[in-house]
Amino acid sequence: MRLLPLLLLPVLVSATPFRPADLPAGSAWFLHVDHDAVRSAPLGASLMSQPIDDAACPLPPKAKAFLTETGFDYRRDLRALTVFGSGAERQASILVRHSADDLKVGEFLRKQGAKTTTVEGAPCLAYDCGPDGNECTLFIAFPQPGVIAIGMSAKDLGLALRSLESERAESALPALAAQEGIANPSVLAAVDMVACAEANPRLPAMARQFRTFGMAASEVGDKVVFRSRTEMVQAPMADNVVKMVEGFAAMAASRDANAASWLEGLVVKAAGAQVTTDYQVSAQRVLEEIARAKVRMAEWRAKRAAGK
């Protein structure tokens, strides 16, 4: 899938507040990234000031061509990314809110071979993602200025288009996101694992031990804050999860003083079948670690180029 990773790129470096009506009834999971919130915080602003095509982590040629020909600069133009699905394999709908030029994005896709078609009466593009072992066709529409709707199938695109027309919240998933105490979350996500298991019989047995999961993250003051809430199918499993996390943290801390300091802000608790996780870390420290990682990546690339 050649274009989808590019559209999801901003998630890796961290959009407009979440709109619950974007999730249709029957959604089993969702992820929302509020890029406006990311950009307005000190750490996010610093990350967004970094060059797009960094020598330590150069863009793939296709991604570079997309940015050059469309002028789409995710640091400036991306406003929101919302992804949701039913839990079935190879199924997802995506809403991208942005301030770039829709016409240039559409023209670039046509140059890449996208074909004009319609889904539920709406004009759209069908973009072939193969052949790379993951053959599929993305259906892409521009239903409103500054909104790109994407589906991994025509049906998925139809769900995305209909959600934009609705003003009524139909999904219970947003209530699962653990955003208590986070006024303006940059990232929200939730999963109904029971619904996912029903939609995907191949879901691993371990995943079936979880009933629901929700999380929220943001930059609050000078801290990056993460909060999650997990409901297990059986109460004893909640205690086991806490013990497993605490054991891993203790082992990591005993082997690496740096890891120990990173884990100081981690708190995991169990109450009945529920597991809550709270984590805080200095935003400045995250920035420093990213800088060190880029140096290590550049050194690794240099050694690789030299054949070492």
Side-chain angles (χ1 to χ4, degrees):
M1 298 174 64
R2 300 186 296 247
L3 183 65
L4 188 57
L6 173 63
L7 293 174
L8 295 178
L9 179 63
V11 177
L12 301 179
V13 300
S14 30
T16 282
F18 175 61
R19 199 179 82 100
D22 284 346
L23 301 183
S27 298
W29 62 270
F30 85 93
L31 167 69
H32 175 80
V33 180
D34 182 341
H35 209 262
D36 284 341
V38 171
R39 195 165 34 234
S40 66
L43 173 59
S46 180
L47 291 174
M48 292 305 102
S49 69
Q50 302 298 314
I52 289 182
D53 195 13
D54 195 302
C57 189
L59 288 173
K62 185 77 69 173
K64 192 170 183 178
F66 174 80
L67 296 174
T68 300
E69 295 184 30
T70 65
F72 192 113
D73 185 337
Y74 68 80
R75 302 170 303 176
R76 175 195 66 227
D77 298 323
L78 183 64
R79 304 207 52 215
L81 182 72
T82 305
V83 190
F84 60 86
S86 67
E89 290 186 287
R90 299 174 70 88
Q91 185 278 324
S93 301
I94 306 169
L95 294 172
V96 181
R97 289 181 168 86
H98 66 95
S99 56
D101 190 326
D102 287 326
L103 293 177
K104 288 184 178 180
V105 174
E107 183 58 30
F108 175 84
L109 291 170
R110 290 185 182 90
K111 287 182 180 178
Q112 300 302 312
K115 305 299 183 184
T116 301
T117 184
T118 60
V119 169
E120 299 185 5
C124 67
L125 298 174
Y127 179 80
D128 181 14
C129 300
D132 62 358
N134 290 300
E135 292 82 357
C136 76
T137 299
L138 291 180
F139 290 82
I140 306 167
F142 304 85
Q144 302 169 8
V147 177
I148 303 174
I150 306 171
M152 293 188 68
S153 68
K155 179 181 178 181
D156 296 334
L157 177 59
L159 287 171
L161 294 175
R162 289 195 298 276
S163 73
L164 289 171
E165 298 173 355
S166 175
E167 295 298 330
R168 186 179 68 212
E170 298 180 344
S171 172
L173 282 177
L176 298 178
Q179 62 182 96
E180 298 86 352
I182 302 179
N184 298 299
S186 300
V187 181
L188 286 174
V191 184
D192 181 340
M193 294 302 298
V194 175
C196 288
E198 292 176 354
N200 182 7
R202 297 175 58 185
L203 200 68
M206 182 61 190
R208 296 173 184 271
Q209 300 298 317
F210 299 83
R211 187 180 301 279
T212 62
F213 170 81
M215 61 78 63
S218 190
E219 191 173 346
V220 181
D222 62 349
K223 304 284 187 183
V224 175
V225 178
F226 169 89
R227 181 163 293 134
S228 73
R229 182 170 55 243
T230 306
E231 191 79 22
M232 308 301 297
V233 172
Q234 298 179 343
M237 283 297 299
D239 290 325
N240 291 341
V241 169
V242 172
K243 291 176 182 177
M244 181 175 65
V245 173
E246 291 178 342
F248 170 79
M251 180 182 68
S254 66
R255 296 181 176 182
D256 187 339
N258 186 51
S261 62
W262 274 97
L263 293 168
E264 288 176 356
L266 177 66
V267 179
V268 184
K269 297 180 180 179
Q274 189 175 101
V275 179
T276 57
T277 303
D278 287 278
Y279 180 67
Q280 296 186 18
V281 65
S282 163
Q284 180 61 34
R285 184 169 187 185
V286 173
L287 194 60
E288 292 171 355
E289 188 61 34
I290 291 173
R292 284 192 288 268
K294 291 172 70 173
V295 171
R296 291 193 294 268
M297 177 64 72
E299 292 173 346
W300 176 80
R301 288 181 178 277
K303 289 181 180 179
R304 185 180 180 184
K308 297 180 180 179

